Amino acid sequence: KQWYQRRVAITAGIVVLVVLVLEIIVVILAIVKKQAFIDATEEAAGTLFKTYKDKFVDDDQSVEITDTEILAVNSAQFIFQCCGLTEGPSYWKTESQTDVPPGCCSDWNGEKIPDSKLESCVETKMYQTGCTEKVKDLADQFGVTTLIIVASVMAFEILCLIAACCSKKNDHIA
């Protein structure tokens, strides 16, 4: 029976060590790949926002955009409380056109998008930060929070492993 308990304890210790090593690898990959994730997100958003801008701000009728993509641009701006890809509302504005997509306005209810896909919005109700900056800030905030949580779990696992080893050592002494 004692041999069986020892084998279970060793197996559990090995499993905890393997999990700990995997967690360390995940943290390292998250840190290393963070920029690649940001770059891929910016590229996809850039394409989507440029298509919207080409179609509705620059009035290029040859540009194709789906209702889903229109909703995505507006919903993203509304959810992240941002306007335009970069530079805030000025991303959408030209000398002759000062309207913005409805998602740039804090009072947009998420339901009606005007036929022009742009609307006048009071400056005080218009989000002033570009979506790229906003998403980077959120990624940094979540990254730090996630890192703290993972580090806490890892520290707890190490303490449990040490406690288990000390407990086993005391069993041998007694």
Side-chain angles (χ1 to χ4, degrees):
K1 185 176 180 181
Q2 195 175 27
W3 175 82
Y4 177 75
Q5 289 175 337
R6 176 187 260 179
R7 192 169 194 152
V8 169
I10 290 171
T11 304
I14 290 171
V15 168
V16 170
L17 279 174
V18 168
V19 169
L20 192 60
V21 168
L22 289 173
E23 288 172 340
I24 291 169
I25 290 170
V26 167
V27 167
I28 290 169
L29 284 174
I31 292 169
V32 170
K33 295 293 185 179
K34 177 184 172 190
Q35 191 58 49
F37 171 75
I38 290 171
D39 292 345
T41 305
E42 283 180 3
E43 183 179 336
T47 301
L48 186 60
F49 275 62
K50 183 178 181 331
T51 302
Y52 194 104
K53 185 176 182 178
D54 289 347
K55 178 77 172 181
F56 303 114
V57 174
D58 298 335
D59 202 25
D60 184 348
Q61 296 306 312
S62 67
V63 174
E64 298 287 326
I65 188 168
T66 66
D67 288 343
T68 304
E69 292 169 326
I70 292 167
L71 185 60
V73 169
N74 284 288
S75 296
Q77 292 177 118
F78 186 71
I79 290 168
F80 291 113
Q81 298 180 346
C82 57
C83 187
L85 190 63
T86 57
E87 306 163 16
S90 62
Y91 177 84
W92 299 112
K93 296 179 179 181
T94 64
E95 285 182 28
S96 61
Q97 196 288 112
T98 58
D99 291 346
V100 296
C104 284
C105 304
S106 63
D107 58 358
W108 182 55
N109 62 10
E111 292 177 14
K112 179 149 176 35
I113 297 177
D115 291 337
S116 68
K117 309 304 183 236
L118 300 169
E119 68 181 15
S120 175
C121 184
V122 180
E123 195 75 27
T124 56
K125 294 192 178 223
M126 196 179 303
Y127 300 123
Q128 298 299 314
T129 307
C131 292
T132 302
E133 299 97 81
K134 195 73 166 194
V135 171
K136 280 182 184 177
D137 290 345
L138 285 171
D140 288 342
Q141 289 172 359
F142 284 120
V144 170
T145 303
T146 303
L147 194 58
I148 290 169
I149 291 169
V150 170
S152 300
V153 169
M154 290 169 59
F156 179 72
E157 289 172 342
I158 291 169
L159 288 173
C160 288
L161 198 57
I162 292 170
C165 289
C166 291
S167 172
K168 250 347 210 177
K169 217 179 231 186
N170 288 342
D171 286 349
H172 275 322
I173 296 171

